[in-house]
Amino acid sequence: MNIFKQLFVSLYSPKDIARFRLQKTGKTILYVLLLTVITILPVFFHTASFFNKSLSEAENIVKNRLPDFSIEEGTLTSDAGEPVTINTAGLTFVLDSTGELLPEDLEENSVALLKNEMAINSQGQLEVIPYSTFGIDNLSKDQLLDFLSAIQSVKGLIGFLFFLFIYISQIVGRLLQITILALIGLILSRAMAKGLSYGQLWKMSAYSITLPAVFFMIMNIFLANVPFSFWINWGVMIIMLYLSLKEVREEENPA
Protein backbone atom coordinates (compact mmCIF):
# COMPACT_ATOMS: atom_id res chain seq x y z
CA MET A 1 0.00 0.00 0.00
CA ASN A 2 1.46 3.37 -0.97
CA ILE A 3 1.95 6.06 1.61
CA PHE A 4 -0.90 8.32 0.42
CA LYS A 5 -3.40 5.44 0.58
CA GLN A 6 -2.08 4.70 4.07
CA LEU A 7 -2.89 8.28 5.06
CA PHE A 8 -6.42 7.94 3.71
CA VAL A 9 -7.26 4.60 5.36
CA SER A 10 -5.69 5.70 8.67
CA LEU A 11 -8.52 8.24 8.96
CA TYR A 12 -11.13 5.51 9.47
CA SER A 13 -9.68 1.98 9.51
CA PRO A 14 -8.25 0.59 12.80
CA LYS A 15 -7.84 -2.77 11.03
CA ASP A 16 -5.37 -1.29 8.54
CA ILE A 17 -3.56 0.58 11.30
CA ALA A 18 -3.11 -2.75 13.09
CA ARG A 19 -1.57 -4.25 9.94
CA PHE A 20 0.87 -1.37 9.53
CA ARG A 21 2.74 -2.57 12.64
CA LEU A 22 4.37 -5.24 10.47
CA GLN A 23 5.95 -2.83 7.98
CA LYS A 24 9.49 -1.47 8.10
CA THR A 25 10.25 1.35 10.52
CA GLY A 26 11.69 3.51 7.74
CA LYS A 27 8.35 3.63 5.93
CA THR A 28 6.60 4.67 9.14
CA ILE A 29 9.07 7.51 9.69
CA LEU A 30 8.57 8.62 6.07
CA TYR A 31 4.82 8.64 6.76
CA VAL A 32 5.28 10.88 9.80
CA LEU A 33 7.39 13.29 7.71
CA LEU A 34 4.73 13.44 5.00
CA LEU A 35 1.85 13.87 7.46
CA THR A 36 3.70 16.72 9.16
CA VAL A 37 4.30 18.54 5.86
CA ILE A 38 0.63 18.30 4.93
CA THR A 39 -0.73 19.39 8.29
CA ILE A 40 1.51 22.46 8.72
CA LEU A 41 0.68 23.95 5.31
CA PRO A 42 -2.37 25.98 6.50
CA VAL A 43 -0.42 27.47 9.42
CA PHE A 44 2.48 28.35 7.16
CA PHE A 45 0.20 29.84 4.48
CA HIS A 46 -1.68 32.08 6.92
CA THR A 47 1.51 33.17 8.69
CA ALA A 48 3.38 33.86 5.43
CA SER A 49 0.42 35.86 4.06
CA PHE A 50 0.27 37.89 7.26
CA PHE A 51 4.03 38.48 7.14
CA ASN A 52 3.96 39.74 3.53
CA LYS A 53 0.98 41.99 4.22
CA SER A 54 2.52 43.27 7.45
CA LEU A 55 5.81 44.07 5.77
CA SER A 56 4.18 46.18 3.06
CA GLU A 57 1.93 47.95 5.55
CA ALA A 58 4.85 48.55 7.92
CA GLU A 59 6.86 50.33 5.22
CA ASN A 60 3.95 52.63 4.45
CA ILE A 61 3.17 53.34 8.11
CA VAL A 62 6.78 53.99 9.17
CA LYS A 63 7.34 56.29 6.21
CA ASN A 64 4.13 58.33 6.34
CA ARG A 65 2.33 57.99 9.66
CA LEU A 66 4.72 57.42 12.55
CA PRO A 67 6.44 60.19 14.54
CA ASP A 68 10.22 60.33 14.57
CA PHE A 69 11.78 57.68 16.80
CA SER A 70 15.05 55.92 17.38
CA ILE A 71 16.39 52.83 19.09
CA GLU A 72 19.40 53.58 21.25
CA GLU A 73 21.26 50.82 23.09
CA GLY A 74 18.33 48.46 22.48
CA THR A 75 15.69 50.87 23.85
CA LEU A 76 13.01 52.64 21.81
CA THR A 77 12.62 56.41 22.26
CA SER A 78 10.23 58.83 20.53
CA ASP A 79 8.57 62.22 20.88
CA ALA A 80 5.21 60.57 21.61
CA GLY A 81 4.26 60.67 25.27
CA GLU A 82 1.80 57.79 24.89
CA PRO A 83 1.41 54.67 22.74
CA VAL A 84 0.67 55.40 19.07
CA THR A 85 -1.81 52.99 17.47
CA ILE A 86 -2.50 52.95 13.73
CA ASN A 87 -5.25 50.72 12.34
CA THR A 88 -5.24 49.61 8.74
CA ALA A 89 -7.28 47.00 6.89
CA GLY A 90 -6.74 43.84 8.91
CA LEU A 91 -3.59 45.07 10.68
CA THR A 92 -2.83 47.18 13.73
CA PHE A 93 0.57 48.87 14.08
CA VAL A 94 1.70 50.09 17.50
CA LEU A 95 4.64 52.23 18.60
CA ASP A 96 5.16 52.53 22.35
CA SER A 97 8.30 54.03 23.83
CA THR A 98 6.68 54.50 27.25
CA GLY A 99 6.79 50.88 28.32
CA GLU A 100 3.08 50.92 29.12
CA LEU A 101 2.13 48.18 26.69
CA LEU A 102 3.21 44.55 27.11
CA PRO A 103 3.36 42.04 24.23
CA GLU A 104 0.44 40.19 25.84
CA ASP A 105 -1.70 43.33 25.48
CA LEU A 106 -1.64 43.19 21.68
CA GLU A 107 -4.74 42.26 19.75
CA GLU A 108 -4.67 39.70 16.96
CA ASN A 109 -3.01 40.77 13.71
CA SER A 110 -0.83 43.39 15.35
CA VAL A 111 2.77 44.47 14.88
CA ALA A 112 4.34 46.56 17.64
CA LEU A 113 7.60 48.36 18.30
CA LEU A 114 7.75 48.33 22.08
CA LYS A 115 10.29 49.78 24.48
CA ASN A 116 12.75 46.88 24.30
CA GLU A 117 11.39 44.50 21.69
CA MET A 118 9.29 43.95 18.59
CA ALA A 119 6.10 41.93 19.06
CA ILE A 120 3.95 40.27 16.41
CA ASN A 121 0.54 38.74 17.08
CA SER A 122 -0.54 36.68 14.06
CA GLN A 123 -3.89 34.92 14.45
CA GLY A 124 -3.34 34.68 18.20
CA GLN A 125 0.23 33.39 17.88
CA LEU A 126 2.50 35.81 19.72
CA GLU A 127 6.15 36.27 18.75
CA VAL A 128 8.38 38.55 20.83
CA ILE A 129 11.77 39.50 19.36
CA PRO A 130 14.16 41.67 21.40
CA TYR A 131 15.93 44.32 19.32
CA SER A 132 19.23 42.74 20.33
CA THR A 133 18.23 39.60 18.41
CA PHE A 134 18.46 41.63 15.19
CA GLY A 135 21.69 43.24 16.40
CA ILE A 136 19.77 46.54 16.54
CA ASP A 137 21.31 48.61 19.30
CA ASN A 138 21.00 51.93 17.51
CA LEU A 139 18.44 52.60 14.79
CA SER A 140 16.66 55.66 13.42
CA LYS A 141 13.41 55.90 11.50
CA ASP A 142 15.24 56.22 8.16
CA GLN A 143 17.45 53.26 8.99
CA LEU A 144 14.35 51.20 9.84
CA LEU A 145 12.95 52.00 6.39
CA ASP A 146 16.18 50.76 4.83
CA PHE A 147 15.98 47.65 7.00
CA LEU A 148 12.38 46.93 5.90
CA SER A 149 13.40 47.34 2.27
CA ALA A 150 16.23 44.88 2.81
CA ILE A 151 13.79 42.37 4.31
CA GLN A 152 11.55 42.80 1.25
CA SER A 153 14.42 41.76 -0.98
CA VAL A 154 15.05 38.50 0.91
CA LYS A 155 11.52 37.63 2.07
CA GLY A 156 11.57 34.47 -0.05
CA LEU A 157 14.56 33.18 1.88
CA ILE A 158 12.97 34.25 5.17
CA GLY A 159 9.82 32.34 4.21
CA PHE A 160 11.82 29.19 3.45
CA LEU A 161 13.73 29.40 6.74
CA PHE A 162 10.48 30.01 8.61
CA PHE A 163 8.89 26.95 6.98
CA LEU A 164 11.96 24.90 7.88
CA PHE A 165 11.76 26.10 11.48
CA ILE A 166 8.05 25.24 11.77
CA TYR A 167 8.62 21.86 10.09
CA ILE A 168 11.49 20.81 12.34
CA SER A 169 9.70 21.93 15.49
CA GLN A 170 6.54 20.07 14.42
CA ILE A 171 8.54 16.93 13.59
CA VAL A 172 10.05 16.97 17.08
CA GLY A 173 6.58 17.45 18.56
CA ARG A 174 5.09 14.64 16.47
CA LEU A 175 7.83 12.17 17.40
CA LEU A 176 7.41 13.00 21.08
CA GLN A 177 3.65 12.62 20.74
CA ILE A 178 4.02 9.22 19.06
CA THR A 179 6.53 8.05 21.66
CA ILE A 180 4.18 8.92 24.54
CA LEU A 181 1.20 7.37 22.74
CA ALA A 182 3.18 4.16 22.20
CA LEU A 183 3.90 4.01 25.94
CA ILE A 184 0.17 4.29 26.58
CA GLY A 185 -0.30 1.58 23.96
CA LEU A 186 2.14 -0.65 25.81
CA ILE A 187 -0.07 -0.45 28.90
CA LEU A 188 -3.19 -1.17 26.83
CA SER A 189 -1.49 -4.04 25.00
CA ARG A 190 -0.54 -5.76 28.24
CA ALA A 191 -4.02 -5.22 29.68
CA MET A 192 -5.53 -6.74 26.51
CA ALA A 193 -2.94 -9.56 26.40
CA LYS A 194 -1.89 -8.71 22.83
CA GLY A 195 1.83 -9.28 23.39
CA LEU A 196 2.98 -6.50 21.05
CA SER A 197 6.49 -5.07 21.16
CA TYR A 198 7.11 -1.37 21.76
CA GLY A 199 8.36 -1.04 18.16
CA GLN A 200 5.08 -2.38 16.78
CA LEU A 201 3.10 -0.08 19.05
CA TRP A 202 5.20 2.90 17.94
CA LYS A 203 4.30 2.17 14.31
CA MET A 204 0.61 1.83 15.16
CA SER A 205 0.77 5.06 17.15
CA ALA A 206 2.26 6.89 14.16
CA TYR A 207 -0.86 6.07 12.15
CA SER A 208 -3.27 6.58 15.03
CA ILE A 209 -2.46 10.30 15.14
CA THR A 210 -3.71 10.79 11.56
CA LEU A 211 -7.39 11.53 12.24
CA PRO A 212 -6.88 14.31 14.82
CA ALA A 213 -3.94 15.72 12.85
CA VAL A 214 -6.06 16.09 9.70
CA PHE A 215 -9.02 17.41 11.69
CA PHE A 216 -6.99 20.20 13.26
CA MET A 217 -5.39 20.94 9.87
CA ILE A 218 -8.89 21.58 8.47
CA MET A 219 -9.74 23.78 11.45
CA ASN A 220 -6.54 25.77 10.79
CA ILE A 221 -7.59 26.31 7.16
CA PHE A 222 -10.72 28.10 8.38
CA LEU A 223 -8.94 29.70 11.38
CA ALA A 224 -11.46 27.97 13.65
CA ASN A 225 -10.78 27.82 17.37
CA VAL A 226 -11.48 24.36 18.84
CA PRO A 227 -12.29 24.32 22.58
CA PHE A 228 -10.47 21.66 24.63
CA SER A 229 -8.24 20.90 21.63
CA PHE A 230 -5.58 19.21 23.78
CA TRP A 231 -8.04 16.73 25.26
CA ILE A 232 -9.80 16.11 21.95
CA ASN A 233 -6.46 15.46 20.26
CA TRP A 234 -5.25 12.95 22.83
CA GLY A 235 -8.66 11.40 23.31
CA VAL A 236 -9.06 10.61 19.61
CA MET A 237 -5.49 9.31 19.31
CA ILE A 238 -5.90 6.92 22.26
CA ILE A 239 -9.29 5.72 20.99
CA MET A 240 -7.85 5.03 17.50
CA LEU A 241 -4.93 3.13 19.02
CA TYR A 242 -7.26 1.14 21.29
CA LEU A 243 -9.55 0.20 18.38
CA SER A 244 -6.49 -0.82 16.37
CA LEU A 245 -5.26 -3.02 19.22
CA LYS A 246 -8.63 -4.77 19.26
CA GLU A 247 -8.04 -5.70 15.59
CA VAL A 248 -4.77 -7.49 16.35
CA ARG A 249 -5.06 -11.26 16.18
CA GLU A 250 -2.64 -13.49 18.09
CA GLU A 251 -1.86 -15.60 15.01
CA GLU A 252 -0.95 -12.46 13.02
CA ASN A 253 1.63 -11.30 15.55
CA PRO A 254 5.17 -12.49 14.72
CA ALA A 255 7.10 -14.06 17.57
Side-chain angles (χ1 to χ4, degrees):
M1 186 180 298
N2 70 59
I3 200 166
F4 292 100
K5 187 173 182 180
Q6 282 186 322
L7 192 154
F8 178 70
V9 299
S10 294
L11 293 171
Y12 66 88
S13 177
K15 181 179 289 188
D16 283 301
I17 291 175
R19 291 171 180 167
F20 295 155
R21 75 189 189 280
L22 304 177
Q23 70 181 17
K24 293 181 179 179
T25 302
K27 187 172 183 180
T28 304
I29 293 174
L30 182 61
Y31 177 83
V32 175
L33 297 177
L34 174 66
L35 179 66
T36 304
V37 168
I38 293 173
T39 54
I40 68 171
L41 286 178
V43 174
F44 173 73
F45 173 78
H46 288 304
T47 304
S49 297
F50 178 75
F51 172 77
N52 288 331
K53 181 178 181 179
S54 299
L55 190 58
S56 298
E57 291 285 354
E59 280 193 283
N60 177 57
I61 290 170
V62 172
K63 184 176 181 179
N64 300 311
R65 302 179 65 179
L66 283 185
D68 286 336
F69 64 88
S70 64
I71 297 171
E72 299 175 357
E73 297 182 356
T75 301
L76 177 68
T77 60
S78 74
D79 296 332
E82 60 183 16
V84 177
T85 301
I86 299 172
N87 294 306
T88 61
L91 177 67
T92 300
F93 197 92
V94 179
L95 183 141
D96 176 31
S97 60
T98 67
E100 292 180 15
L101 286 178
L102 298 175
E104 294 77 16
D105 297 329
L106 295 179
E107 299 177 354
E108 287 191 9
N109 298 333
S110 297
V111 176
L113 295 178
L114 303 178
K115 191 172 184 64
N116 299 112
E117 64 267 321
M118 174 186 289
I120 302 172
N121 187 328
S122 172
Q123 308 297 338
Q125 300 295 316
L126 182 63
E127 297 289 338
V128 180
I129 310 167
Y131 298 128
S132 57
T133 301
F134 291 121
I136 301 174
D137 293 319
N138 297 280
L139 183 73
S140 67
K141 179 177 176 177
D142 289 338
Q143 289 173 323
L144 178 58
L145 283 170
D146 292 338
F147 176 69
L148 292 173
S149 296
I151 292 179
Q152 281 277 20
S153 65
V154 294
K155 63 182 180 182
L157 176 60
I158 293 174
F160 171 76
L161 293 175
F162 179 69
F163 177 82
L164 199 60
F165 171 77
I166 294 178
Y167 183 60
I168 292 173
S169 62
Q170 286 293 312
I171 283 291
V172 172
R174 289 276 186 229
L175 293 176
L176 180 61
Q177 195 177 60
I178 292 167
T179 300
I180 295 172
L181 185 60
L183 290 172
I184 296 172
L186 195 60
I187 297 171
L188 293 174
S189 175
R190 290 175 179 175
M192 299 166 70
K194 294 298 182 179
L196 298 180
S197 68
Y198 180 78
Q200 291 175 326
L201 289 163
W202 196 93
K203 295 172 189 175
M204 291 174 65
S205 297
Y207 292 93
S208 296
I209 71 172
T210 304
L211 178 58
V214 171
F215 169 76
F216 284 107
M217 177 197 71
I218 294 171
M219 293 300 100
N220 286 330
I221 290 175
F222 297 103
L223 300 176
N225 182 39
V226 181
F228 309 109
S229 58
F230 176 85
W231 300 109
I232 292 173
N233 184 43
W234 277 97
V236 174
M237 288 192 299
I238 292 171
I239 290 170
M240 288 297 290
L241 181 58
Y242 172 74
L243 294 175
S244 301
L245 284 168
K246 288 183 67 176
E247 296 293 336
V248 173
R249 301 288 179 263
E250 187 67 29
E251 62 272 15
E252 294 177 347
N253 195 36

